[in-house]
Amino acid sequence: MAGLYIHIPFCKSRCIYCGFYSTTDMALRQRYVDAVCREMVARGTRCEVRGTDLETIYLGGGTPSQLTVGQLKQLFHTINKVYGMEQVKEVTIECNPDDVTEEYAAALPQLGINRVSMGVQTFDNQRLHFLRRRHTAEQIPVAIQRLRDAGFHNISIDLMYGFPGETLDDWQHDIDKALAMNVEHLSAYCLMVEEGTVLYEQMRKEKSEARNDSTEELERQMYEQLIDRLTAAGYEHYEISNFARPGFRSHHNSSYWQDVPYVGIGAAAHSYDGHRRSWNVSDISQYMRGIENGQPVYESEELDADTRYNDRITVALRTCEGLRLDELSEQQRNYLLRSARRYVDDGLLQLTDTHIRLTRRGLFVSDMVMSDLMIV
């Protein structure tokens, strides 16, 4: 099976932490949607994904809920024409709480959308203001109820922790609020200071240290608190940052971690066919001109055995199942087992006859462990 990802880069305003490609030029929306549809038609003729193979669709961003219902209808008409949706099990759209009007929520299921991923981040208005989010804490439960009323039974929310000055009690309050929403899926990420973001420039000008030993220890405690509370509430911790009620894992995102091919459409979108990776230019003007002129602007690379091995290490070990040893060649398997021995002995990795996975202790140092298992 395969997945289809469509990047919608439009945002009314930019959050200070975001490193994803986006634009605030809303006047380009219709031209961009036209270009995305043309790219799907052009690439569909090359049979990258056959209609019977498409299992998941994901509209990410940016803020896909900034598209009008008419523009979404145009996208899904083209998806159905090019790929077919007969075998599609999951169709996700990312949205902001303040975009979810009653009318908008009611229109989404009519398009075949059956899952919504909502950027909540925090239930504290001061922290939302710090992030430059457009919504308020009070709009979050209203948006979720509107989606429920529209028939959605698969809702995911994103949370963020590790804010400057945030305490364990503050984070506990956010977790409590999230659990009260009774959503099917929850993703939680530590606030990171990425170069090129507004937050990075802000902290550089203030000559602030983004992280130190005390903040890292607090973030570790917040992560432990998250795991304990959500698993006690019945959520499955199925990936480092993701929790789901039984039966509600994100099928689309799971495909990334399970080495399933996917097609990425739109500016900055990535594609993978199992042996080759490609990505569109991260510039909306260049992207649209290229599509309109029949000369798409993208780059690609063929993946050698070592690169594919490293990719499997960095994605499969994020999951609770871990990496299947029979996915590797004998040479790769022997290399992995030699490299992993000290972490198995230290209790950071668990090794069985069929899999290798991170233990709970290993989750807190996952980047270090995975780095040491890679071929350099």
Side-chain angles (χ1 to χ4, degrees):
M1 308 301 283
L4 173 66
Y5 174 81
I6 300 179
H7 190 65
I8 309 298
F10 299 102
C11 293
K12 275 189 179 178
S13 59
R14 255 191 209 98
C15 302
I16 64 172
Y17 60 89
C18 185
F20 293 110
Y21 176 70
S22 64
T23 177
T24 57
D25 190 349
M26 308 300 283
L28 295 175
R29 284 180 296 178
Q30 186 57 55
R31 182 183 170 196
Y32 181 78
V33 169
D34 292 341
V36 162
C37 291
R38 289 181 67 171
E39 184 188 3
M40 279 192 277
V41 171
R43 292 177 65 172
T45 61
R46 299 202 296 268
C47 299
E48 291 174 284
V49 177
R50 299 184 185 279
T52 55
D53 291 335
L54 189 63
E55 186 177 49
T56 64
I57 300 169
Y58 195 105
L59 273 63
T63 314
S65 54
Q66 282 296 294
L67 294 186
T68 67
V69 172
Q71 289 163 344
L72 289 173
K73 285 181 178 178
Q74 181 181 346
L75 284 178
F76 279 96
H77 173 77
T78 305
I79 292 170
N80 194 47
K81 181 176 70 173
V82 174
Y83 301 110
M85 294 180 61
E86 295 81 6
Q87 305 299 320
V88 174
K89 297 179 180 178
E90 180 188 271
V91 184
T92 302
I93 185 171
E94 293 181 349
C95 71
N96 278 10
D98 52 310
D99 289 332
V100 184
T101 64
E102 291 181 4
E103 295 76 18
Y104 203 87
L108 298 181
Q110 307 304 314
L111 301 171
I113 296 170
N114 57 19
R115 183 175 186 271
V116 171
S117 179
M118 187 181 297
V120 167
Q121 315 313 348
T122 175
F123 291 86
D124 181 271
N125 280 324
Q126 287 187 330
R127 291 195 288 275
L128 287 171
H129 179 72
F130 168 77
L131 294 176
R132 300 187 190 173
R133 298 290 292 179
R134 291 184 285 112
H135 70 274
T136 65
E138 293 74 24
Q139 290 174 306
I140 298 166
V142 174
I144 290 174
Q145 187 57 54
R146 285 173 177 169
L147 292 169
R148 294 296 192 204
D149 292 343
F152 280 96
H153 305 291
N154 194 353
I155 299 173
S156 177
I157 61 174
D158 288 351
L159 286 183
M160 191 169 284
Y161 61 94
F163 291 87
E166 186 181 17
T167 66
L168 277 174
D169 285 343
D170 293 334
W171 178 226
Q172 180 66 58
H173 179 264
D174 265 357
I175 296 174
D176 289 342
K177 287 285 190 179
L179 288 173
M181 298 298 100
N182 199 30
V183 293
E184 288 73 26
H185 189 280
L186 192 148
S187 302
Y189 306 96
C190 185
L191 177 63
M192 303 300 293
V193 183
E194 295 186 33
E195 190 170 354
T197 63
V198 175
L199 180 59
Y200 176 87
E201 291 302 317
Q202 178 179 309
M203 300 196 75
R204 184 180 64 82
K205 289 176 182 176
E206 295 173 357
K207 297 184 178 178
S208 302
E209 289 190 14
R211 297 166 67 89
N212 53 45
D213 290 345
S214 62
T215 57
E216 288 187 2
E217 172 58 21
L218 179 59
E219 289 165 2
R220 185 192 66 78
Q221 292 175 18
M222 289 177 169
Y223 186 51
E224 285 195 325
Q225 191 176 39
L226 173 76
I227 296 172
D228 289 341
R229 286 300 313 282
L230 265 63
T231 53
Y235 287 85
E236 177 189 23
H237 187 198
Y238 73 102
E239 192 269 348
I240 286 178
S241 302
N242 287 274
F243 302 79
R245 296 283 189 194
F248 287 96
R249 293 187 184 190
S250 168
H251 293 297
H252 184 86
N253 289 337
S254 293
S255 70
Y256 298 147
W257 307 318
Q258 295 167 359
D259 202 36
V260 175
Y262 53 89
V263 172
I265 301 290
H270 287 235
S271 300
Y272 169 70
D273 66 4
H275 303 281
R276 181 173 171 268
R277 192 159 44 212
S278 62
W279 54 97
N280 288 337
V281 62
S282 297
D283 181 291
I284 191 169
S285 296
Q286 287 189 52
Y287 167 78
M288 292 189 299
R289 283 197 303 269
I291 296 298
E292 289 161 356
N293 295 329
Q295 297 178 325
V297 184
Y298 68 95
E299 296 182 60
S300 64
E301 63 174 343
E302 295 291 331
L303 305 179
D304 60 25
D306 287 352
T307 301
R308 293 200 65 201
Y309 164 85
N310 289 342
D311 285 350
R312 294 303 298 139
I313 291 293
T314 56
V315 293
L317 285 183
R318 295 185 61 88
T319 67
C320 61
E321 289 83 9
L323 175 65
R324 284 178 46 178
L325 298 177
D326 63 6
E327 291 183 18
L328 308 176
S329 67
E330 183 178 0
Q331 181 180 5
Q332 290 171 340
R333 190 162 54 248
N334 290 338
Y335 176 86
L336 171 62
L337 296 178
R338 287 196 305 270
S339 304
R341 176 49 54 192
R342 62 180 174 131
Y343 293 120
V344 174
D345 293 342
D346 289 343
L348 302 179
L349 285 170
Q350 179 187 29
L351 178 65
T352 69
D353 290 341
T354 58
H355 287 76
I356 187 166
R357 61 176 64 89
L358 289 164
T359 64
R360 174 158 171 166
R361 284 182 53 223
L363 292 174
F364 301 106
V365 288
S366 58
D367 287 347
M368 177 194 72
V369 174
M370 289 188 285
S371 177
D372 282 355
L373 301 180
M374 293 169 65
I375 297 172
V376 294

